[in-house]
Amino acid sequence: MHDDRSLVEARLRRVLDERLRPAVYPESVPLDVAVWHAPDEPVPVAEGLAAEPEPIAVGARWGAPWGTSWFRVTGTVPEAWAGKTVEALLDLGFDENMPGFQCEGLVYWPDGTPVKGLNPRNQWVRIGAPVEGGEEVRLHVEAASNPVILDYHPFLPTRLGDKETAGAEPQYRLARMDLAVLDETVWQLVIDLEVLGELMAELPVESARRWEILRAVEKALDAIDLQDVNGTAAQARVRLETVLSEPAVASAHRVSAIGHAHIDSAWLWPLRETVRKVARTTSNMTALLDDEPEFVFAMSQAQQWAWVRDHRPEVWARVKKAVADGRFVPAGGMWVESDTNMPGSEAMARQFVHGKRFFLDEFGVENEEAWLPDTFGFAAGLPQIIKAAGSKWLLTQKISWSQTNKFPHHTFRWEGIDGTQIFTHFPPVDTYNCSMKGSEIAHAARNFKDKGAARHSLAPTGWGDGGGGTTREMVAKAARLRDLEGSATVAWETPKEFFTKAEAEYPEPPVWVGELYLELHRATLTSQAKTKQGNRRSEHLLREAELWAATAAVRTGFPYPYEELDRIWKTVLLHQFHDILPGSSIAWVHREARRTYERLADELNGIIDAAQRALAGEGTRELLFNAAPHGRAGVAAGGAGTAVVEGRTTVTERPGGGHVLDNGILRVEVDARGLAVSVYDIEADRETIAPGRGGNLLQLHPDFPNMWDAWDVDEFYRNTVTDLTDVDELAPEGHGVRIVRTFGGSRVTQVLSLAPGERRLLVDTEVDWHETEKFLKLAFPLDVHAERYASETQFGHFHRPTHTNTSWEAAKFEACNHRFVHLEEPGWGVAIVNDSTYGHDVTRTVRTDADRGTTTTVRVSLLRAPRFPDPETDQGVHHFRHALVPGAGIGDAVREGWRINLPERVGPGAEEVAPLVTVDQDAVVVTAVKLADDGSGDVVVRFHEAHGGRARATLTAGFEVAGVTATDLLERPWADAPALRREGNEVSLRLRPFELVTLRFTRA
């Protein structure tokens, strides 16, 4: 037989494009359209419906950036269409290639009932099936003219990312506004041919199945009269029945399709627009559920569910019914799909607490999976948090974006720092916007790494980010792929159904130990410094507020601010979303975030101040309130008392320029360049700084990644560096020296100080930053030989190599830490602690001089200046605090990390305050002291082993205890907790390395 394959395939493409798809709507009449433009921000639905619109013609421009326009669409169904299916086709000016990234609409009936969303791939509204003819049609469309930020030429700087700078130029041109007859037979034929054509293209040319499909398609095309497509479509479908009914082979890969619409809670749009994106999508999906009995849709992020409940009650009623029917599934059990690298221990725990509790309270649904398809890597402390929240599975897709190394598994057990393992799945379809294309399903089957041991994967199916979710075309394709020879099989299933089957099929999958590092988007650890600082400060203020409010409630009857703390926690958790905290959103988002963090700080400081005054009483005695989990200046952790400070610091001139700081513990030499050329540990007789080098070295790099400006830093940035050693001013100040430098358009003021009695060199840095596409680092070259170093993560720390033996280590050239980085030789180490930074890098070189020692350089990432999506990223004044701690063991690193983040509070009072809870073991760190969320008055204490070893500990309650229970994160009794021994107000237990424990004390 002659090879006519290319000829038939080309014929199929043209007939689909030029004859069949246009014939889906064979008859149409124009609708009348009028529009009212809301003057500023979106208005309530009733106001939009009641507004008096002005006529507008198809082809007219509309929609200032971030504006809202209410279209009224009216018309009459022709009498001649009686008995036919009729739909309104409403094209606001869509680009079909940009679902979720441009204008969108929500359609209402005149009484305000939402109908469905309008999106580039979802432009129809069903009027009747069938119609009687003569019906009057009246629809209202709430249309959002969101500007296109990420265009065909991506990453170009734009002022459209903030309403204050976006201007008023109309963004869109009104396109088709018609009533049309839907020919369902032609529509079904189009789906038939798309499925077969896409499947055919994925099969080997030598495959018999490919040629069977080709011949069937050819016969179907022969049956179509191109001058009468609507009259001949049915007979064309008949010629495809046999080839569409051939069952899949028994060994075919199995795909669990889950309706999905990944909606970034903020990104290239502000939070207020996400509220509307979610309403449009949920309207779409509840409508689709009504039409498609096998379809199942899952939505994560409790915050987004809460937005629907609070802002769109009419949509919420439909959602609740669909949930009750088991087909609209709450997924993930987190408040938002957060970043997981940077949130602190308690914040990561509270993501699950608030997310799971929302779904339990609203629907009685207990989530067992963590659902994070788009998060930029996963910290090594996360598995035990997932387990402690009562969950056991994790889904993500993002690791497939890694640039250097291909992850070796799609289904595996992920082991965290404490040994907890979580059954984890990476969908091999490699997208969380699957559209049921044959190429996607074939890629999932081919790409699946665990063939032979397993054959089940998941495909999140639907357009995200306001693109409308799953479409009826996707559902129709999935129906044809349910059991089709040559393809993987496809079935709609819930996340629980998928994970249950996958885990049963693969009970002993391979194990991956440690962080799931994304080899991409590393700069998100640094971009938008003020957002990161606001997050870090909020986390610690919340700790203080809960601690002091709980202490005051137990001791004095102080009214515990349950509602305020709940609201503030949810706001902080929202801003940990994986495009807000990472700094990858538009200017509008980060401008609002800064204001929000300022407001939260005022509220939390008010709670803290009120609780401390209630505890200390009226008096003139100066009290130090210590919210850290370790004693400080003679004041116990969680208590208040008189500070005891011993020793003194001298500041003298240094021969050759600069100054010497000495407090009897450390002697620090700061040279004329403002560099710490010596940080000498007097007791250990040990130098911290590598020979011939200087600590506190600011280094400036060019920073223009190949793409994803706010997200990425590419390794070649290191090829060019400028050491900032010129000094404008250098003078003593207090217990240290003040250094001023200028470079480019920027100015840096630093104070290096050595307080009496302290083993830490404080580095306070103020940067007035006005650079573009630059990366600012703060370097400490250390005289330490270490093959690995520790970075703090949630409820512990994680070790990374300092070498680059393999591509896996080399790819981690920028990594995340929380409060500390620690390096150690046996018996002596160094910690670098911070109050607000996350990104860092660690490198090592062997010196070639006589001592042949090793220089290990730790560099803290301070600031970047990308121009997309916010062209003014980080411009302005920033404050950072770091400390270099020589002679530090891991326990010192933990303690100093907490200390720098919980600065001392000093205020007047009448008497000292005893801690509500004390721990007799320094390795056991208390991360939360609070009252139980249920309002019972029980005291909840959360703690973990922080040094990486086993620990015995006794917790003593500073109040009478009637009982104590080990709980999960949601404060429910938990069987997996360690055994407890209680005697009176004391509880003793043993902890494994990094073990996380929550205890609930019932007060007598």
Side-chain angles (χ1 to χ4, degrees):
M1 183 181 290
H2 297 296
D3 185 352
D4 61 349
R5 177 176 50 84
S6 298
L7 194 67
V8 176
E9 291 172 356
R11 180 187 178 193
L12 172 61
R13 287 192 295 271
R14 186 175 186 191
V15 170
L16 274 170
D17 287 342
E18 297 184 24
R19 292 293 188 271
L20 296 186
R21 292 190 183 103
V24 168
Y25 292 103
E27 301 177 75
S28 65
V29 295
L31 288 160
D32 294 323
V33 189
V35 66
W36 174 73
H37 303 292
D40 187 29
E41 282 293 277
V43 300
V45 173
E47 184 177 342
L49 293 174
E52 189 58 41
E54 298 288 334
I56 185 173
V58 167
R61 299 182 69 195
W62 71 278
W66 307 113
T68 299
S69 298
W70 282 84
F71 290 94
R72 186 185 66 196
V73 183
T74 56
T76 304
V77 177
E79 298 283 355
W81 291 0
K84 298 181 179 181
T85 297
V86 175
E87 294 181 343
L89 301 181
L90 309 177
D91 185 345
L92 300 174
F94 296 125
D95 180 339
E96 291 192 6
N97 295 315
M98 289 190 175
F101 295 92
Q102 52 169 267
C103 60
E104 303 167 41
L106 182 55
V107 181
Y108 297 87
W109 296 122
D111 65 359
T113 302
V115 183
K116 65 188 293 288
L118 289 181
N119 317 91
R121 301 291 180 97
N122 216 317
Q123 303 177 19
W124 57 273
V125 178
R126 180 64 58 88
I127 301 301
V131 296
E132 295 180 358
E135 292 94 335
E136 294 297 323
V137 175
R138 184 185 179 100
L139 300 171
H140 297 265
V141 181
E142 180 189 15
S145 49
N146 301 334
V148 175
I149 306 294
L150 191 65
D151 213 332
Y152 286 100
H153 187 163
F155 318 120
L156 291 179
T158 174
R159 297 286 175 179
L160 291 171
D162 195 331
K163 187 178 178 182
E164 295 182 354
T165 60
E169 186 71 18
Q171 300 290 292
Y172 297 100
R173 193 176 297 277
L174 195 64
R176 186 175 189 180
M177 291 277 166
D178 289 345
L179 278 180
V181 172
L182 170 67
D183 188 326
E184 295 190 60
T185 301
V186 176
W187 185 85
Q188 296 285 0
L189 176 60
V190 169
I191 301 297
D192 290 343
L193 289 170
E194 287 181 348
V195 167
L196 291 171
E198 291 164 5
L199 172 59
M200 182 170 58
E202 298 301 320
L203 295 171
V205 173
E206 63 274 13
S207 161
R209 176 63 170 163
R210 179 164 183 161
W211 289 91
E212 288 174 359
I213 294 172
L214 185 79
R215 297 278 78 92
V217 166
E218 184 178 41
K219 290 176 183 177
L221 295 176
D222 288 343
I224 298 169
D225 182 346
L226 298 182
Q227 310 309 314
D228 184 17
V229 170
N230 301 91
T232 55
Q235 63 193 50
R237 291 200 72 206
V238 169
R239 298 191 179 189
L240 297 173
E241 287 177 353
T242 299
V243 77
L244 281 168
S245 63
E246 293 292 336
V249 298
S251 62
H253 185 71
R254 298 172 181 173
V255 173
S256 293
I258 296 176
H260 184 242
H262 172 72
I263 302 179
D264 289 294
S265 290
W267 180 26
L268 305 180
W269 46 85
L271 287 166
R272 67 92 154 142
E273 191 56 31
T274 314
V275 175
R276 302 201 297 173
K277 284 177 178 282
V278 174
R280 297 175 199 123
T281 299
T282 51
S283 295
N284 246 6
M285 293 302 91
T286 52
L288 190 61
L289 288 167
D290 289 340
D291 295 339
E292 303 289 349
E294 294 186 1
F295 175 57
V296 177
F297 182 77
M299 189 169 91
S300 66
Q301 307 192 72
Q303 170 69 87
Q304 295 188 0
W305 291 72
W307 280 334
V308 179
R309 181 195 63 188
D310 298 341
H311 295 275
R312 287 289 197 269
E314 65 282 0
V315 180
W316 180 246
R318 288 162 55 176
V319 168
K320 287 194 74 171
K321 180 183 181 302
V323 173
D325 293 340
R327 300 179 58 214
F328 198 123
V329 182
M334 295 176 68
W335 190 247
V336 294
E337 290 181 13
S338 72
D339 180 80
T340 73
N341 286 313
M342 291 176 282
S345 302
E346 272 305 305
M348 200 74 255
R350 305 298 175 97
Q351 285 285 352
F352 288 91
V353 169
H354 287 284
K356 294 196 72 168
R357 187 172 288 141
F358 181 90
F359 293 138
L360 282 165
D361 290 347
E362 294 290 341
F363 308 113
V365 171
E366 172 90 19
N367 294 101
E368 295 183 288
E369 76 288 333
W371 185 274
L372 292 163
D374 191 33
T375 297
F376 309 153
F378 300 88
L382 188 58
Q384 74 164 331
I385 298 174
I386 294 172
K387 183 177 181 181
S391 298
K392 58 184 180 180
W393 301 314
L394 169 67
L395 176 133
T396 185
Q397 180 272 327
K398 200 68 173 189
I399 300 299
S400 69
W401 287 39
S402 285
Q403 288 178 314
T404 306
N405 297 285
K406 192 78 170 175
F407 197 81
H409 317 295
H410 281 108
T411 302
F412 59 100
R413 290 200 182 277
W414 177 30
E415 182 177 318
I417 55 175
D418 73 316
T420 296
Q421 294 185 352
I422 295 295
F423 188 84
T424 303
H425 181 67
F426 293 173
V429 71
D430 281 348
T431 178
Y432 43 80
N433 294 303
C434 176
S435 61
M436 283 292 135
K437 285 184 179 178
S439 57
E440 294 170 334
I441 303 304
H443 176 74
R446 283 195 301 262
N447 187 40
F448 189 55
K449 294 287 192 301
D450 303 284
K451 296 183 188 76
R455 56 175 179 162
H456 206 156
S457 72
L458 185 148
T461 302
W463 301 115
D465 285 331
T470 316
T471 66
R472 61 184 177 183
E473 289 79 11
M474 296 174 194
V475 176
K477 286 188 174 185
R480 288 157 174 80
L481 296 171
R482 182 184 298 111
D483 188 14
L484 183 61
E485 184 185 355
S487 171
T489 64
V490 175
W492 294 106
E493 294 186 311
T494 66
K496 182 175 183 177
E497 288 170 336
F498 163 75
F499 274 109
T500 299
K501 291 178 181 179
E503 194 168 23
E505 167 187 81
Y506 204 10
E508 297 297 332
V511 176
W512 181 271
V513 179
E515 68 181 333
L516 292 170
Y517 179 92
L518 177 64
E519 296 169 357
L520 191 75
H521 292 0
R522 303 166 180 90
T524 58
L525 302 173
T526 305
S527 296
Q528 297 287 1
K530 282 189 167 63
T531 300
K532 291 170 171 57
Q533 290 177 325
N535 173 73
R536 180 76 71 86
R537 188 71 184 119
S538 296
E539 289 179 352
H540 289 86
L541 285 170
L542 276 161
R543 172 195 170 80
E544 290 189 84
E546 289 182 338
L547 169 67
W548 299 123
T551 305
V554 172
R555 296 276 167 71
T556 73
F558 178 81
Y560 191 79
Y562 290 101
E563 293 183 3
E564 292 91 337
L565 290 172
D566 179 79
R567 172 179 48 78
I568 293 169
W569 261 118
K570 288 173 179 174
T571 303
V572 172
L573 298 178
L574 167 59
H575 285 79
Q576 292 178 339
F577 179 74
H578 66 253
D579 277 307
I580 303 179
L581 180 55
S584 46
S585 289
I586 55 174
W588 189 346
V589 173
H590 293 288
R591 171 170 56 81
E592 286 190 333
R594 290 190 293 271
R595 294 174 182 172
T596 298
Y597 286 130
E598 290 170 1
R599 174 174 51 81
L600 296 183
D602 288 342
E603 285 192 74
L604 289 168
N605 280 314
I607 293 171
I608 293 164
D609 182 62
Q612 289 180 344
R613 282 189 282 107
L615 284 164
E618 296 296 329
T620 58
R621 184 177 179 184
E622 186 176 84
L623 298 176
L624 183 151
F625 286 82
N626 178 19
H630 309 89
R632 104 173 22 158
V635 178
T642 303
V644 177
V645 179
E646 297 178 349
R648 60 187 292 269
T649 298
T650 62
V651 180
T652 59
E653 291 193 7
R654 174 179 178 271
H659 298 82
V660 178
L661 321 178
D662 193 328
N663 66 359
I665 301 170
L666 299 178
R667 184 171 63 249
V668 179
E669 294 187 34
V670 181
D671 72 1
R673 301 170 298 170
L675 303 183
V677 292
S678 174
V679 180
Y680 188 71
D681 182 342
I682 295 171
E683 181 182 357
D685 189 22
R686 173 71 185 257
E687 178 58 64
T688 306
I689 303 298
R693 303 290 299 277
N696 188 48
L697 174 63
L698 290 164
Q699 295 184 303
L700 192 66
H701 295 271
D703 185 18
F704 188 64
N706 288 343
M707 56 194 305
W708 297 108
D709 295 41
W711 294 257
D712 282 358
V713 55
D714 289 330
E715 191 173 14
F716 55 73
Y717 88 92
R718 292 178 169 180
N719 295 348
T720 306
V721 60
T722 301
D723 292 344
L724 302 177
T725 57
D726 293 341
V727 174
D728 297 344
E729 300 176 31
L730 179 64
E733 181 171 297
H735 297 303
V737 294
R738 179 173 181 269
I739 307 145
V740 179
R741 311 179 195 276
T742 53
F743 58 93
S746 303
R747 176 185 176 93
V748 177
T749 302
Q750 290 183 295
V751 176
L752 274 59
S753 59
L754 187 60
E758 294 187 2
R759 181 182 290 276
R760 62 175 187 169
L761 174 65
L762 271 177
V763 181
D764 287 290
T765 304
E766 178 184 284
V767 186
D768 189 3
W769 181 246
H770 297 283
E771 305 307 302
T772 299
E773 294 166 350
K774 295 290 193 296
F775 196 3
L776 184 64
K777 291 263 189 176
L778 177 63
F780 296 91
L782 307 173
D783 190 11
V784 177
H785 178 84
E787 294 183 356
R788 65 177 192 170
Y789 71 97
S791 294
E792 189 186 34
T793 189
Q794 292 99 3
F795 298 111
H797 57 266
F798 173 67
H799 287 98
R800 297 187 185 93
T802 59
H803 59 74
T804 54
N805 282 358
T806 73
S807 59
W808 294 88
E809 285 102 29
K812 296 182 180 182
F813 58 83
E814 184 79 6
C816 182
N817 67 285
H818 286 188
R819 286 168 290 228
F820 69 78
V821 168
H822 178 256
L823 301 94
E824 190 170 23
E825 294 177 5
W828 194 87
V830 181
I832 296 174
V833 300
N834 72 83
D835 75 342
S836 59
T837 57
Y838 296 92
H840 70 276
D841 68 88
V842 178
T843 55
R844 65 192 295 275
T845 57
V846 175
R847 301 189 290 270
T848 57
D849 56 10
D851 89 330
R852 291 182 296 175
T854 301
T855 299
T856 304
T857 301
V858 178
R859 298 198 310 163
V860 176
S861 302
L862 296 182
L863 290 165
R864 301 182 67 237
R867 300 188 65 210
F868 182 89
D870 176 4
E872 299 296 326
T873 302
D874 280 333
Q875 301 300 295
V877 178
H878 302 270
H879 301 268
F880 306 98
R881 171 168 278 199
H882 296 82
L884 179 68
V885 189
I890 194 68
D892 301 305
V894 172
R895 182 181 62 253
E896 293 296 337
W898 276 101
R899 182 181 178 188
I900 201 170
N901 281 274
L902 286 167
E904 300 165 354
R905 288 181 184 266
V906 177
E911 56 186 34
E912 294 187 352
V913 179
L916 199 58
V917 177
T918 59
V919 186
D920 68 347
Q921 167 61 264
D922 190 60
V924 175
V925 169
V926 174
T927 60
V929 177
K930 60 191 286 294
L931 295 193
D933 291 340
D934 61 6
S936 63
D938 291 354
V939 175
V940 173
V941 182
R942 188 149 34 248
F943 54 93
H944 70 287
E945 195 289 320
H947 293 183
R950 295 184 181 271
R952 294 184 181 184
T954 298
L955 278 76
T956 302
F959 53 92
E960 291 302 312
V961 174
V964 62
T965 305
T967 74
D968 66 5
L969 295 178
L970 276 72
E971 302 169 5
R972 306 172 297 189
W974 193 34
D976 286 340
L980 308 177
R981 188 176 73 254
R982 175 182 162 232
E983 294 184 10
N985 294 346
E986 294 185 350
V987 178
S988 300
L989 70 168
R990 298 186 181 192
L991 288 85
R992 66 177 182 270
F994 301 126
E995 184 171 9
L996 166 63
V997 180
T998 304
L999 297 183
R1000 180 171 179 150
F1001 292 87
T1002 302
R1003 292 151 58 191

